Amino acid sequence: MSEPDELYTLRAQYWLGHYQLALDEAKSVMRRPMSPALKAEREEFSLRCQLALGQYDKVISASPDSPGIKALQLKAQYESAAAEAKPAIVQQMQTMLGDGVSPSVQLTAAHVFLMEGMKKEALQCVHQGALMEHVSVSIQIYLQLDRIDLAQQQLALLKRADEEAVLTQLAGVQIALATGSSMAKDAIHTLNQLSEQYGPSVFLLNLMACACLQAGNFSLAEERLMQARQEFAASDADTLANLIVAYQYQSKPTAPLVAELKSSYPGHFLASGLATVEGAFERESIKYKA
């Protein structure tokens, strides 16, 4: 699970949500002498950055030189496809799995399966922990399953591999947030250190906002989310959803944000949940209309 240093900055920038900086780093190390395996990893991280930036066409049109790239192209197709087309893409991803499949394909498949709500299948891809990222994803899955105990066991594996690694620190933050307000200060401390070292990103600001919400500091959570919107023009679903929560706790009007979330991300669990509740309320209210 040890990882060479040539791509250390590239990986760190990607994991922290600095996707454009990571792309720039990938270009800057392109001419450095490195093994074929590292060159392939650099190319895959470049495509992952483009995916995160929503540049699906660039990923899909890339030369499919390896199974890892082919898997990323399927992920790009999945993220850009209409809902009715997604199951077929998931099936294509499943056909790529089997004996001898590369760890990078397993990682991408796990990400796609999670987006499809297939937690069991995602965990099957990463449970052996061939990469530190596999362990990181398994932690996220265990937290979604409310198995903090198993997530903590996986965190111990990351710490044994590299206690100071960005992935290890982020995993610790995620477990702290899942644990509750008692560990919110620990999460805030770690996130402050990462932000000071690498600079803020939409991802880090959202994590910080979640930690502030856990700590009961709703106004500071709002500040961090507004920073994401103002400095990075963030309009992603996580920023909107977290800002709605921060506003709700402060009794501020949320209607414009809710409307934006529903319009831009109708499939988001908060938007769909609100639609379900509103529909049920409307059906019940009809019974009492004159």
Side-chain angles (χ1 to χ4, degrees), residues 37-263:
L38 279 182
K39 289 180 180 178
E41 185 181 357
R42 184 199 64 80
E43 180 61 25
E44 288 182 15
F45 264 103
S46 296
L47 294 176
R48 290 171 69 182
C49 290
Q50 291 173 337
L51 263 174
L53 292 169
Q55 299 171 358
Y56 304 120
D57 290 343
K58 290 184 178 180
V59 178
I60 293 171
S61 62
S63 178
D65 297 328
S66 69
I69 292 178
K70 291 178 182 177
L72 288 169
Q73 290 175 321
L74 281 178
K75 186 171 186 281
Q77 292 175 30
Y78 177 90
E79 292 190 30
S80 59
E84 59 271 15
K86 292 181 184 293
I89 299 172
V90 171
Q91 289 182 353
Q92 291 183 60
M93 184 68 76
Q94 289 175 314
T95 62
M96 295 190 68
L97 301 173
D99 294 338
V101 64
S102 71
S104 65
V105 172
Q106 291 174 319
L107 180 65
T108 302
H111 288 153
V112 171
F113 294 159
L114 281 177
M115 287 188 287
E116 191 68 9
M118 301 164 58
K119 297 183 181 69
K120 177 182 177 181
E121 290 80 0
L123 187 57
Q124 288 174 339
C125 290
V126 297
H127 76 282
Q128 292 183 341
L131 302 172
M132 287 186 71
E133 281 194 277
H134 283 194
V135 181
S136 175
V137 172
S138 70
I139 288 173
Q140 296 173 37
I141 296 171
Y142 286 134
L143 291 178
Q144 290 182 30
L145 296 172
D146 293 325
R147 291 301 305 270
I148 294 180
D149 57 326
L150 296 179
Q152 289 172 331
Q153 291 177 17
Q154 296 298 302
L155 177 60
L157 293 178
L158 286 180
K159 287 182 176 180
R160 284 201 292 270
D162 187 348
E163 189 165 7
E164 299 302 319
V166 167
L167 272 185
T168 305
Q169 295 183 66
L170 288 175
V173 167
Q174 291 164 348
I175 291 175
L177 294 179
T179 301
S181 58
S182 62
M183 295 188 66
K185 288 184 178 179
D186 293 338
I188 291 172
H189 176 71
T190 300
L191 291 168
N192 277 331
Q193 286 186 321
L194 289 171
S195 295
E196 289 173 4
Q197 183 175 358
Y198 293 96
S201 67
V202 173
F203 173 65
L204 283 175
L205 289 168
N206 268 276
L207 278 179
M208 181 65 79
C210 290
C212 291
L213 289 172
Q214 284 280 36
N217 195 338
F218 309 127
S219 61
L220 185 55
E222 179 187 347
E223 286 181 24
R224 293 293 172 262
L225 295 166
M226 291 307 298
Q227 181 182 353
R229 284 171 73 84
Q230 292 166 1
E231 291 187 17
F232 300 97
S235 58
D236 60 290
D238 288 340
T239 301
L240 287 170
N242 289 330
L243 193 54
I244 289 170
V245 174
Y247 273 29
Q248 190 74 41
Y249 272 119
Q250 299 175 89
S251 300
K252 292 186 175 183
T254 60
L257 292 171
V258 171
E260 185 178 352
L261 182 68
K262 288 181 176 179
S263 174

Side-chain angles (χ1 to χ4, degrees), residues 265-279:
Y265 306 97
H268 188 271
F269 74 91
L270 181 57
S272 58
L274 284 171
T276 300
V277 172
E278 289 168 353

